[in-house]
Every structure is written in C-alpha cells, then in structure tokens.
Amino acid sequence: LQDSVLLTGAANFPGGDGVYSLKRIMEECKLGHINYLDLDIQEYEWPFLNNSETIELLEKHVDRVHIGTHSKKIHADLKVLFA
C-alpha cells in the first residue's frame, strides 16, 4: 500500500522512545488523514484512546478504527467510549 504506515514497536517509531499518542504518530509520520486505523497494543488501548485530544483527532481525521482488545473490561469501556 503506497501511503501506509506500519509501526511495530518503539524501535520502529519515529523518535524511538516508546511514547505513543495518535497526535504524535500523525505529526511525525506526516499524516493528515487516516482511512483505517488498526490498533493492537496489548492492553494499552484504553489509555491510548481515552483522552479528549485523541477523540477529537479520531472524529476529524480517521474514517475507520479496528481495535484488538485484550480484556473484557477494556472492550466494555471502549464500547461506551465509541457509543
């Protein structure tokens, strides 16, 4: 895929310090729009998504989100967040 970005682990992330946020990913990878965001971040889904900055970016710049959840609690919390 021509305009795809694949981030697999902190070592491959621009900056390499392991501090992830949607804003930082979009800025450092120069992404103005995301068609499909696939998150599988091993029980960090809730802290990554549950903040007003990320929700605003999702609403304005992301068409679709697929989240691999790793606990029933996180799954339930995300269902409420995205309702």
Side-chain angles (χ1 to χ4, degrees), residues 34 36-41 64-68:
I34 298 173
Y36 181 78
L37 178 63
D38 184 23
L39 294 173
D40 186 354
I41 49 180
R64 291 176 195 87
V65 179
H66 174 260
I67 304 166

Side-chain angles (χ1 to χ4, degrees), residues 15-51:
D17 62 9
V19 179
Y20 291 79
S21 73
L22 184 58
K23 179 180 179 184
R24 182 172 177 193
I25 291 168
M26 291 183 74
E27 286 175 351
E28 293 198 17
C29 296
K30 297 175 179 51
L31 302 172
H33 181 81
I34 298 173
N35 292 322
Y36 181 78
L37 178 63
D38 184 23
L39 294 173
D40 186 354
I41 49 180
Q42 304 300 316
E43 296 188 18
Y44 194 70
E45 300 86 9
W46 180 250
F48 181 85
L49 293 167
N50 186 35
N51 64 78

Side-chain angles (χ1 to χ4, degrees), residues 45-61:
E45 300 86 9
W46 180 250
F48 181 85
L49 293 167
N50 186 35
N51 64 78
S52 59
E53 178 181 77
T54 299
I55 295 302
E56 183 176 338
L57 287 169
L58 288 171
E59 290 173 347
K60 291 182 178 180
H61 301 285

